[in-house]
Amino acid sequence: MTSNEPSEPAYDAVVLAGGGARRLGGADKPGVRVGGRALLDRVLGACADARTTVVVADPRPTARPVRWAREDPPGAGPVAALDAGVRHTAADDVLVLSADLPFLAADTVRRLLTALRAGGAEGTMLTDADGCDQPLVAAYRTAALRRELAVLTADHGGLTGLPLRRLTAGLDLTRVSDPVASFDCDTWDDIATARARIREHGHVLDEWISAVKDELGIDLDVDTGVLLDLARDAAHGVARPAAPLTTFLVGYAAAQAQGGPEAVSEAARKAAALALRWAQEAEQDTAARHDQAPQDQAQQDQAQQGKKDKAVEPGGSGPDAG
């Protein structure tokens, strides 16, 4: 089906994944897992629709293909790293992210880009729970970034060691508050907090499904409510083990049909209807047994009474016989 709606303008993404992670004891922070996924892969998932994604770090396995870049010299700081990444971009807008954002999601990326394009600002960045700017969770006009990077290079003879505030001070910026998406992991306590949060009741299911899709390489958004209802119906109408097996078969059927979310929904509808028919048959059988029980009891009572009557008849076999 062809849509008449205009597509969103393309954007590029630059993810800074270097640094020494001193407060993590020198651990490989982008590779630290939260909810079973590396922090870097979680960030890459949030900007999966970027036209070009540049990761500034030494190459490593990632959940999706990216372009790699490195600041010169390595470890020269965030401004130098950003400059190395922006050199590989071509879109008018560039999303700039750090690689330690466990709760960044695609909707936050969209909010940043929408806010940038809605006004005349040169950049839009998130603010954290304390109202502090987060320049590495932001969307910028690419031309404005290049202009300020060139100015800093000329003024300082290079970019090594410069703080990000030197760069953002020359930009016209707007802010978007998002205490959750701006949460970053600098310490092991931060990592523990992030891991605990995704296991909370209101988050764990979405987090798990997202992690499974990444692990299996599935890019498919389905109505999880439909599948959960199907699992409930199968468990109630058939047997508890039928729930996971049925949802597996629905997924397999949708894959066989080479379909997307619609194929999953249709297969789930058919399986749910079958489960309901099983439940209805069981209910009918139960009701029939309840209806039959009084009749069976009446027949038993009648037979028993017949035996008693026979026992007291003359010539019968009762104690008075003979």
Side-chain angles (χ1 to χ4, degrees), residues 91-269:
D92 291 339
D93 304 322
V94 59
L95 184 73
V96 176
L97 304 169
S98 61
D100 60 353
L101 303 165
F103 305 127
L104 184 70
D107 60 342
T108 304
V109 168
R110 190 56 49 199
R111 284 177 61 203
L112 284 169
L113 292 167
T114 299
L116 176 66
R117 293 161 180 167
E122 295 174 322
T124 300
M125 69 172 64
L126 291 192
T127 57
D128 63 16
D130 297 322
C132 297
D133 288 346
Q134 299 296 309
L136 295 184
V137 200
Y140 299 97
R141 307 280 186 190
T142 307
L145 269 187
R146 289 183 173 142
R147 181 196 72 217
E148 291 306 308
L149 288 166
V151 168
L152 289 177
T153 301
D155 289 349
H156 298 275
L159 301 174
T160 299
L162 293 181
L164 279 168
R165 63 177 180 274
R166 292 284 184 90
L167 176 67
T168 57
L171 297 170
D172 176 23
L173 301 172
T174 59
R175 274 80 176 172
V176 174
S177 176
D178 195 327
V180 175
S182 62
F183 180 89
D184 57 359
C185 293
D186 291 325
T187 67
W188 286 113
D189 283 344
D190 294 335
I191 297 292
T193 297
R195 287 172 172 170
R197 185 180 186 277
I198 67 170
R199 290 183 176 276
E200 293 174 359
H201 176 70
H203 307 285
V204 65
L205 186 58
D206 288 340
E207 287 285 350
W208 171 247
I209 291 172
S210 180
V212 171
K213 289 196 295 185
D214 277 359
E215 191 72 15
L216 300 180
I218 299 172
D219 184 17
L220 180 68
D221 289 324
V222 298
D223 187 344
T224 55
V226 169
L227 294 178
L228 289 174
D229 288 346
L230 167 61
R232 180 202 62 209
D233 292 340
H236 174 73
V238 185
R240 283 190 178 274
L245 293 173
T246 304
T247 51
F248 163 77
L249 292 172
V250 163
Y252 186 82
Q256 287 286 88
Q258 298 182 342
E262 298 82 4
V264 175
S265 296
E266 177 62 14
R269 183 193 63 78

Side-chain angles (χ1 to χ4, degrees), residues 25-40:
D28 175 29
K29 182 162 68 169
V32 172
R33 295 184 180 275
V34 173
R37 291 187 291 165
L39 284 170
L40 175 57

